[in-house]
């Protein structure tokens, strides 16, 4: 099927996307899907009916439906770690039982959620107090999946945040935690240590720093700490009492974990009810993904556009461009979700991949990006498929006209990418200012090649439920891309080597060991940094 798809691409590669609209006035409808009040439009790509047919065959050929069922029913599809992949169980609020190795995990999920809700309600109401009174600030200390989800969600749902302020500390760079501690009062701060493994060096280092900070002002600092972890055997050693430890099972991957205890800071900020709405959104997307035909299945179609652009057309990167400023952290969140999941060089059976792995994912909210990197997207020599996101309505009714301007900008960009501007049109633009060779030269700079693909996700408004739908949509997109490529999307061995080498380098940086055995560059950099104060 890959060969057929590549041959098809070769046959249509020079065709202009615009011509597809000229040939078929139903194209916008035929290459869009609406589900759960969202609209996903992939008509501004070079995918035609034959190409879509082949892509859908690829899903069948690679057994995606069976693997999807295996995921939802708790089979150990994370094969290198022998684990089930069941973040969907965390939002299976009114669904049936879900078994892992014969045991229904749902009673545990419900109990865990209830415990989180009770604690969040106590923090919000002031029933849970710090040494100096009701909690005013929550600091979530975590990194990767233990940071990006709640941090992204807190920013996305700021209009719903009516609880204590939340802060997110992730980097081992002392500048990160120092900036946050400076703005908080230890007597009214709750510190949440979020780490699936409870061993991550950055998180444990920051947690100890926070504890020392709190100890200076509070007699029982550990009382103002909570822990979110799968390693509940380790949280006690840090001094966190069991009633403030929120555990989760190993079948929740770090980058898929914001639906459970890792979402505690978000729940405290927006309240348990709004958090449940977020879960409901995720569950609604699960149901859609599990039931809809491939031709109507939003996550599958989003995945197929990704596979078409990356593996078939060879476009190495993908820009995520939310025209929704509150989704400002979504590109970073998706970077981990997609690149840690599908950035693998071997397939499940350990053999080298026959296709490229997942793409480089990057992005920034529009309109800001327009004034920064869109130049390259429009006129650079490489094609960057763009994924636009836009809400019909903002949260500021009094500034509705400003939101309309945002929408106009979003739609203008995908139109400009597709249409471009020809040399004739460019000449016309500047014909009144230049002539002769200078006209030619100036016009050349104003040509936009166009024919650059994009997809657009439009939705009514960024509510908690909608955020749940969006995050689950992308999770399932990653699942489908990984399944088609034969990748285990649920391990992350590629982060290990750097961690090991950092551990080995620390005593060298501290001056306790010399750099013998290190390569010349590393040794020289250590020497330079030590000579300058390290
Ligand atoms: O090093 C990568 C990673 O394991 C991510 O997968 C994970 O989200 C992050 O580190 C944090 O891990 P933990 O929650 O165990 O501290």
């Amino acid at each position: 099927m890959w060969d057929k798809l590549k041959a098809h691409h070769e046959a249509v590669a020079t065709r202009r996307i615009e011509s597809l609209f000229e040939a078929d006035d139903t194209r916008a409808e035929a290459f869009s899907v609406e589900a759960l009040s969202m609209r996903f439009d992939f008509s501004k790509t070079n995918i035609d009916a034959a190409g879509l047919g082949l892509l859908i065959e690829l899903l069948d050929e690679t057994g995606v439906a069976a693997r999807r069922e295996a995921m939802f029913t708790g089979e150990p599809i994370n094969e290198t770690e022998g684990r089930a992949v069941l973040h969907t169980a965390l939002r299976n609020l009114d669904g049936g039982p879900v078994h892992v190795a014969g045991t229904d995990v749902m009673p545990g999920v419900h109990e865990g959620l209830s415990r989180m809700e009770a604690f969040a309600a106590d923090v919000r109401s002031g029933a849970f107090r710090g040494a100096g009174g009701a909690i005013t600030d929550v600091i979530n200390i975590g990194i990767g999946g233990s940071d990006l989800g709640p941090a992204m969600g807190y920013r996305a749902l700021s209009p719903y945040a009516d609880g204590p302020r939340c802060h997110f500390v992730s980097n081992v760079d002392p500048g990160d935690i120092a900036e946050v501690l400076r703005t908080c009062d230890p007597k009214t701060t709750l510190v949440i240590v979020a780490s699936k493994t409870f061993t991550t060096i950055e998180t444990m280092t920051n947690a100890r720093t926070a504890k020392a900070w709190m100890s200076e002002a509070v007699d029982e600092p550990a009382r103002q700490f909570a822990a979110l972890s799968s390693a509940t055997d380790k949280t006690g050693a840090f001094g966190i009492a069991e009633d403030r430890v929120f555990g989760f099972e190993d079948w929740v991957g770090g980058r898929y974990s914001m639906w459970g205890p890792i979402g505690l800071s978000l729940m405290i900020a927006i309240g348990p009810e709004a958090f449940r709405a977020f879960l409901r959104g995720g569950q609604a997307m699960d149901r859609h993904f599990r039931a809809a035909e491939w031709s109507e299945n939003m996550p599958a179609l989003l995945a197929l556009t990704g596979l078409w652009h990356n593996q078939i057309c060879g476009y190495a990167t993908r820009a995520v461009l939310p025209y929704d400023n509150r989704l400002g952290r979504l590109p970073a969140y998706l970077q981990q979700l997609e690149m840690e999941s599908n950035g693998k060089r071997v397939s499940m059976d350990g053999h080298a991949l026959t296709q490229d792995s997942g793409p480089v994912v990057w992005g920034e909210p529009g309109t800001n990006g327009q004034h920064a990197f869109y130049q390259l997207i429009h006129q650079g020599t490489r094609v960057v498929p763009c994924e636009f996101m836009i809400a019909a309505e903002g949260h500021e009714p009094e500034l509705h006209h400003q939101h309309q301007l945002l929408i106009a900008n979003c739609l203008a960009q995908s139109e400009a990418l597709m249409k471009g501007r020809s040399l004739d049109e460019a000449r016309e633009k500047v014909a009144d200012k230049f002539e002769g060779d200078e006209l030619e030269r100036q016009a050349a700079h104003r040509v936009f090649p166009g024919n650059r693909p994009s997809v657009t996700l439009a939705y009514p408004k960024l509510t908690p439920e909608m955020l749940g739908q969006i995050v689950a949509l992308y999770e399932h997109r990653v699942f489908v891309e990984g399944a088609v490529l034969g990748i285990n999307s649920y391990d992350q061995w590629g982060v290990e080597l750097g961690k090991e080498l950092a551990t080995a380098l620390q005593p060298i940086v501290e001056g306790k060991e010399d750099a013998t055995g290190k390569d010349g560059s590393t040794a020289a950099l250590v020497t330079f940094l030590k000579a300058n104060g390290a």
Side-chain angles (χ1 to χ4, degrees):
M1 193 53 57
W2 291 108
D3 290 346
K4 276 195 197 168
L5 273 160
K6 284 179 185 173
H8 180 69
H9 170 245
E10 245 172 62
V12 301
T14 56
R15 170 181 69 191
R16 290 193 69 83
I17 299 169
E18 259 183 299
S19 72
L20 294 169
F21 285 92
E22 286 152 16
D24 175 9
D25 57 11
T26 67
R27 178 169 174 83
E29 285 311 312
F31 291 81
S32 294
V33 62
E34 287 191 16
L36 310 175
S37 75
M38 304 160 97
R39 181 178 175 94
F40 171 59
D41 180 329
F42 60 107
S43 61
K44 292 193 189 91
T45 66
N46 201 3
I47 299 175
D48 57 17
L52 184 58
L54 292 174
L55 286 165
I56 288 176
E57 273 184 57
L58 184 63
L59 297 179
D60 293 331
E61 190 183 271
T62 50
V64 177
R67 193 164 166 82
R68 175 183 59 184
E69 221 32 41
M71 174 175 74
F72 277 106
T73 53
E75 296 292 319
I77 65 164
N78 173 354
E79 290 173 6
T80 55
E81 297 177 302
R83 292 176 183 168
V85 173
L86 272 181
H87 44 281
T88 52
L90 298 174
R91 54 209 189 211
N92 179 38
L93 294 185
D94 50 3
V98 179
H99 292 98
V100 173
T103 306
D104 182 9
V105 300
M106 287 315 299
V109 168
H110 287 297
E111 195 207 317
L113 182 59
S114 300
R115 285 191 63 231
M116 280 172 70
E117 289 179 335
F119 183 64
D122 282 353
V123 173
R124 286 165 60 83
S125 69
F128 177 88
R129 300 165 74 76
I135 296 297
T136 56
D137 293 85
V138 173
I139 305 176
N140 183 86
I141 298 180
I143 196 164
S146 299
D147 164 70
L148 288 163
M152 180 276 291
Y154 181 62
R155 179 163 167 185
L157 299 179
S158 61
Y160 301 86
D162 55 3
R165 277 183 302 270
C166 288
H167 312 265
F168 296 87
V169 170
S170 51
N171 203 322
V172 76
D173 180 340
D176 195 7
I177 193 160
E179 292 294 338
V180 170
L181 297 183
R182 191 169 297 147
T183 64
C184 296
D185 174 356
K187 293 197 168 85
T188 57
T189 295
L190 170 70
V191 176
I192 297 178
V193 184
S195 175
K196 180 175 170 179
T197 54
F198 230 68
T199 56
T200 304
I201 187 105
E202 291 92 332
T203 300
M204 300 324 296
T205 306
N206 276 322
R208 281 191 293 274
T209 300
K211 203 166 172 189
W213 167 78
M214 200 171 275
S215 305
E216 284 179 15
V218 171
D219 290 340
E220 288 180 274
R223 224 189 55 76
Q224 282 173 233
F225 274 67
L228 321 174
S229 185
S230 294
T232 43
D233 53 323
K234 298 198 175 76
T235 51
F238 190 82
I240 301 177
E242 267 176 32
D243 60 332
R244 288 185 312 283
V245 174
F246 300 87
F248 53 101
E249 304 291 330
D250 68 3
W251 40 256
V252 180
R255 52 194 174 276
Y256 298 85
S257 64
M258 69 178 293
W259 311 94
I262 294 294
L264 182 63
S265 52
L266 178 61
M267 184 191 273
I268 292 173
I270 65 175
E273 214 173 297
F275 193 84
R276 269 193 186 246
F278 167 69
L279 298 182
R280 271 199 307 279
Q283 186 187 26
M285 184 53 74
D286 293 343
R287 289 189 166 142
H288 165 75
F289 175 53
R290 210 169 165 184
E293 294 294 327
W294 291 139
S295 59
E296 299 292 325
N297 194 309
M298 201 178 276
L301 292 168
L302 180 58
L304 291 179
T305 63
L307 292 162
W308 171 259
H309 288 140
N310 184 21
Q311 281 74 18
I312 307 297
C313 303
Y315 307 142
T317 86
R318 167 196 294 163
V320 179
L321 308 167
Y323 277 66
D324 199 327
N325 203 52
R326 292 190 174 97
L327 288 178
R329 291 295 282 159
L330 186 71
Y333 177 81
L334 293 181
Q335 254 168 6
Q336 186 195 15
L337 185 69
E338 304 203 11
M339 294 168 76
E340 206 173 67
S341 296
N342 288 341
K344 315 275 163 75
R345 53 178 289 282
V346 297
S347 62
M348 234 101 58
D349 59 10
H351 291 111
L353 287 187
T354 55
Q355 308 298 324
D356 280 329
S357 61
V360 176
V361 176
W362 59 285
E364 273 288 319
T367 58
N368 292 16
Q370 289 175 203
H371 300 274
F373 55 79
Y374 278 38
Q375 165 64 44
L376 180 147
I377 290 180
H378 284 289
Q379 289 189 318
T381 55
R382 292 186 184 88
V383 174
V384 179
C386 294
E387 301 195 347
F388 294 101
M389 308 174 80
I390 182 75
E393 203 192 332
H395 283 92
E396 290 71 29
E398 69 287 4
L399 297 174
H400 187 56
H401 64 287
Q402 210 164 316
H403 190 80
Q404 287 172 330
L405 184 56
L406 180 71
I407 293 176
N409 270 276
C410 179
L411 300 184
Q413 290 301 323
S414 62
E415 191 184 354
L417 284 167
M418 176 172 72
K419 290 189 171 162
R421 176 181 285 155
S422 68
L423 183 58
D424 281 348
E425 289 167 332
R427 270 196 206 103
E428 217 170 285
K429 276 265 166 204
V430 287
D432 57 338
K433 295 199 194 78
F434 308 104
E435 55 188 18
D437 287 352
E438 186 58 9
L439 173 60
E440 290 307 305
R441 199 173 70 85
Q442 291 286 349
H445 289 276
R446 289 161 172 79
V447 169
F448 289 66
N451 210 24
R452 303 205 160 185
S454 68
V455 300
T456 301
L457 181 72
Y459 47 92
K461 189 174 180 175
L462 189 59
T463 59
E465 195 156 357
M466 188 53 65
L467 183 70
Q469 290 181 194
I470 292 173
V471 175
L473 167 67
Y474 275 90
E475 286 178 350
H476 294 321
R477 173 272 182 98
V478 169
F479 167 86
V480 172
E481 291 194 10
V484 167
L485 295 169
I487 286 173
N488 177 3
S489 303
Y490 303 101
D491 59 12
Q492 55 282 323
W493 301 108
V495 301
E496 297 300 324
L497 181 58
K499 285 185 192 174
E500 282 165 26
L501 292 180
T503 306
L505 266 162
Q506 195 175 347
I508 300 174
V509 174
E510 288 170 354
K512 293 178 184 156
E513 287 176 19
D514 65 30
T516 309
K518 289 288 161 197
D519 62 84
S521 161
T522 306
L525 285 166
V526 169
T527 304
F528 174 83
L529 290 166
K530 289 214 67 71
N532 285 278

